[in-house]
Amino acid sequence: MFSSTVADAPLIREPLHAPVAHLIRGGVVEGLHHGSVVVLDADGSVQLQIGDIEAAFYPRSALKPVQAVAMVRAGLPLDGELLSLAAASHSGEERHLAGARRILELAGLTEDHLGNVPDMPFDPAVRDTWVRDGRTPSRLAQNCSGKHAAMLYTCRLNGWSLDNYLDPGHPLQQAIAEIVEDLTGQGIARVTVDGCGAPLFSVSLHGLARAAARITTAAAGTPEARVADAMRDHAEMASGAGRDVAELMRAVPGLLAKDGFEGVQVAALPDGRAVAVKIADGAARARIPVAAAALARAGVDPSLLVDFAGEPLLGGGEPVGCVRAVRALDPVPLSACA
């Protein structure tokens, strides 16, 4: 079973990644993605590992469910769509912007209080529309605005200062760091700054999978369960329309899944089975097929995962290959690609 004991921080070293995905074109291996994968059984034991699952790395936005748990533990009263948005890497759709505004309104704040960087919407189609309409980068449109709005709301509720809420020494960030260590079961190796400006905590891939499993196995009504329920029930608020991570949660009953920049994916089932993936070169095209193969190894019905076997490689506009997990991970390939 999962232990609440906090172990030493993972070592900071060059990760010993291994091959995790092939690019197959016309029956020939054209390219290769390296990375690391861990699959946990329901009792927390490691069923499968490829590459380096113990080296320190940055989970990027895959850590957002843990950050949301920390905020709920600190009194954040959100549920449903707004709590899902608090853990989101959203696409910048109008519902996401409206949700972030609503969280700020509940805190008695405005967009001017946000400390994340102004940006265009993450989703290409939404961004194109945004540009055609003559709109400029904004803090609300940036994909982490829901998290930042929730951070500010948490600070307001606790009487913590607002202008320095992104400082790693701030009470909010200290509270988040404590929960990161609690749920991952290990110390934080290093703290840096994420793309949005928030502190980013370095743990191991193993620790990230363990945290996701701790969240999905928590008792009903706990902060962990509230976050998991919100994200599963409102998957597109945690991502966006047509996003693979939302479709994956809809396809696999009870699955909690969160992606992160630089090829990170974590997913966990209600019984504690969990997977975590890091693609070494950050390629998004390898993230989902590798994660799907890992979920199949965890016992998920492969028929539920066929749509996540990897995007086709095109030749002359027609499919001539695919991105496929290596056979060490996927001995009976989800993809029919040769």
Side-chain angles (χ1 to χ4, degrees):
M1 298 300 292
F2 296 101
S3 170
S4 60
T5 302
V6 176
D8 291 340
L11 293 177
I12 298 173
R13 64 182 182 220
E14 182 177 348
L16 303 174
H17 291 307
V20 293
H22 287 142
L23 279 66
I24 310 294
R25 182 181 295 270
V28 173
V29 176
E30 181 180 35
L32 176 65
H33 289 290
H34 286 74
S36 295
V37 181
V38 60
V39 178
L40 300 184
D41 278 328
D43 63 0
S45 61
V46 176
Q47 182 212 117
L48 175 72
Q49 67 179 80
I50 295 176
D52 195 342
I53 69 170
E54 303 296 354
F57 91 120
Y58 291 118
R60 302 300 299 270
S61 288
L63 200 61
K64 283 178 178 175
V66 177
Q67 293 171 308
V69 168
M71 288 188 276
V72 174
R73 287 195 189 183
L76 184 69
L78 301 178
D79 281 299
E81 289 188 350
L82 294 185
L83 182 53
S84 183
L85 186 62
S89 301
H90 65 70
S91 291
E93 300 164 24
E94 289 300 327
R95 58 178 162 179
H96 299 134
L97 276 61
R101 287 192 197 96
R102 179 57 182 155
I103 296 172
L104 290 169
E105 289 169 358
L106 290 169
L109 303 172
T110 69
E111 180 178 356
D112 291 338
H113 290 90
L114 292 172
N116 60 318
V117 295
D119 202 356
M120 307 294 278
F122 174 75
D123 183 88
V126 178
R127 183 169 59 247
D128 288 347
T129 300
W130 189 278
V131 172
R132 283 197 299 270
D133 291 343
R135 301 170 78 174
T136 58
S138 79
R139 298 185 194 277
L140 277 179
Q142 197 269 337
N143 76 90
C144 301
S145 65
K147 178 184 76 174
H148 281 257
M151 285 181 169
L152 286 166
Y153 192 10
T154 305
C155 290
R156 175 55 64 89
L157 291 167
N158 284 277
W160 296 331
S161 59
L162 302 180
D163 57 351
N164 65 333
Y165 77 97
L166 297 180
D167 188 317
H170 189 279
L172 170 69
Q173 302 304 335
Q174 291 292 297
I176 290 174
E178 179 180 344
I179 303 309
V180 169
E181 293 190 335
D182 176 32
L183 294 182
T184 63
Q186 61 189 178
I188 293 168
R190 184 164 291 178
V191 181
T192 188
V193 182
D194 209 342
C196 65
L200 178 61
F201 306 102
S202 180
V203 293
S204 70
L205 196 66
H206 189 179
L208 178 63
R210 192 161 45 226
R214 291 277 302 279
I215 290 172
T216 58
T217 58
T222 61
E224 292 89 337
R226 284 171 57 190
V227 170
D229 288 344
M231 293 181 69
R232 289 183 296 219
D233 292 344
H234 304 279
E236 292 186 346
M237 281 299 281
S239 54
R243 292 270 293 279
D244 53 31
V245 69
E247 294 178 352
L248 186 63
M249 283 195 278
R250 295 191 187 284
V252 181
L255 186 72
L256 175 69
K258 185 68 186 76
D259 54 345
F261 279 153
E262 297 303 323
V264 182
Q265 181 71 54
V266 67
L269 292 153
D271 64 1
R273 288 174 291 158
V275 307
V277 170
K278 164 63 181 175
I279 305 300
D281 62 4
R285 67 180 177 182
R287 171 181 52 83
I288 276 291
V290 171
L295 285 168
R297 288 296 293 264
V300 173
D301 183 350
S303 68
L304 301 176
L305 300 167
V306 171
D307 289 341
F308 307 97
E311 62 187 58
L313 298 183
L314 302 181
E318 298 296 328
V320 294
C322 66
V323 180
R324 186 185 70 198
V326 296
R327 295 198 185 277
L329 178 60
D330 192 15
V332 181
L334 292 170
S335 170
C337 175

